[in-house]
Amino acid sequence: MPPGWHPGFGDAGGHPRWPFVPGLDGPAPACPDAIVTVAEPRSRPRDSVAGWGTLSGSAVEDLAPRISILLPYGDGSARLAITLEALLSQRETDWEALLIDTGTRDDSAQVAAQYAALDHRFRLLRGARCGDGGAPFACARNIGLAKARGEIMTFCEPGALWMPDKLDRITAAFTDVTLDACYAPGGEVEAGDTPAPQPSGDLTVARLMADNPVQRLSNLALRSELVNAVGTFDTRLPHGDDLEWLVRLVGEGYRLAPLDRQLVLSPQGCAAP
């Protein structure tokens, strides 16, 4: 447990919360489609050569993908389109992307709808309306957690450029049965920049509180069943709900380890929600 915490710092579900954020004595605001448990993914038969067996069309669409990508978005259709193009470039094709509208006022929702019309792997959801603080994005992520069907859960954000082998490397990492979650650390960079040195060793609460090498949720992936144990993002926090959730994950004793290189480019000036 992080320094300064004690068993009294918890919500109604027993999850720890920041002791230094005032005004969090009441219950967290309810999100639509609040998560209770994550449903077990429906498995589908593999074909050793072609991938999925003889299933096609709507039969394939009804079955659970290997990976779920949670992508809440606000205003900024150009950033969103760039990110969706990067997802379409992934070598691993067995994924779904949940595009969660937080109440956009520009044409971002239309851009999301266009991609969903072109590729059934994009699923459209609506979250809380954007406002001050981070609560709308925390709520949107919680909606995504409730709706996601994949065995592996990942997060994304508008403006993030995923390398084409990101999902390949994630699925390869989870062949290690001792691994609960993984991250490919990296900060704000421009194309052509030299990647920063990568950390090694399993992540600890102390390291998270010191400098948080995960930096953005777009760098994170975890086994979906962990969500039932770790819980949802705290929508009461004005900011830092992602770090609080990571601290909870590691504090529960789950193993979070780095991958061997940066797999996400986050352009300078593109702030994480």
Side-chain angles (χ1 to χ4, degrees), residues 129-214:
R129 290 196 62 83
C130 284
D132 294 333
F137 285 91
C139 189
R141 284 189 282 266
N142 289 343
I143 292 170
L145 292 177
K147 297 294 187 180
R149 302 173 297 163
E151 303 166 13
I152 298 170
M153 196 85 68
T154 64
F155 301 88
C156 194
E157 59 206 25
L161 303 178
W162 285 16
M163 299 295 97
D165 60 343
K166 174 178 167 65
L167 295 182
D168 272 343
R169 287 179 173 269
I170 287 172
T171 54
F174 282 114
T175 60
D176 178 355
V177 297
T178 71
L179 185 67
D180 297 308
C182 62
Y183 69 101
E188 293 185 351
V189 298
E190 296 291 350
D193 284 356
T194 301
Q198 303 301 316
S200 60
D202 293 355
L203 200 53
T204 63
V205 169
R207 181 69 190 278
L208 274 170
M209 299 295 286
D211 61 6
N212 184 17
V214 179

Side-chain angles (χ1 to χ4, degrees), residues 2-99:
W5 282 9
H6 61 71
F9 292 127
D11 59 20
H15 298 125
R17 60 175 170 85
W18 296 117
F20 48 85
V21 175
L24 298 188
D25 294 331
C31 293
D33 300 315
I35 183 172
V36 179
T37 57
V38 175
E40 289 294 326
R42 293 174 57 190
S43 59
R44 43 184 172 179
R46 289 274 191 176
D47 180 279
S48 59
V49 177
W52 301 118
T54 58
L55 299 176
S56 62
S58 60
V60 172
E61 294 179 24
D62 289 340
L63 293 170
R66 177 181 296 171
I67 301 168
S68 291
I69 304 165
L70 276 55
L71 202 171
Y73 66 91
D75 289 342
S77 58
R79 293 196 307 273
L80 178 62
I82 290 172
T83 296
L84 299 184
E85 286 294 330
L87 296 185
L88 290 173
S89 298
Q90 291 297 303
R91 294 171 188 162
E92 168 62 68
T93 60
D94 188 18
W95 51 263
E96 64 174 359
L98 280 60
L99 310 182

Side-chain angles (χ1 to χ4, degrees), residues 34 41 182 217 225 247 252 260 272:
C182 62
L217 288 180
E225 62 263 27
V247 169
E252 291 282 349
D260 58 358

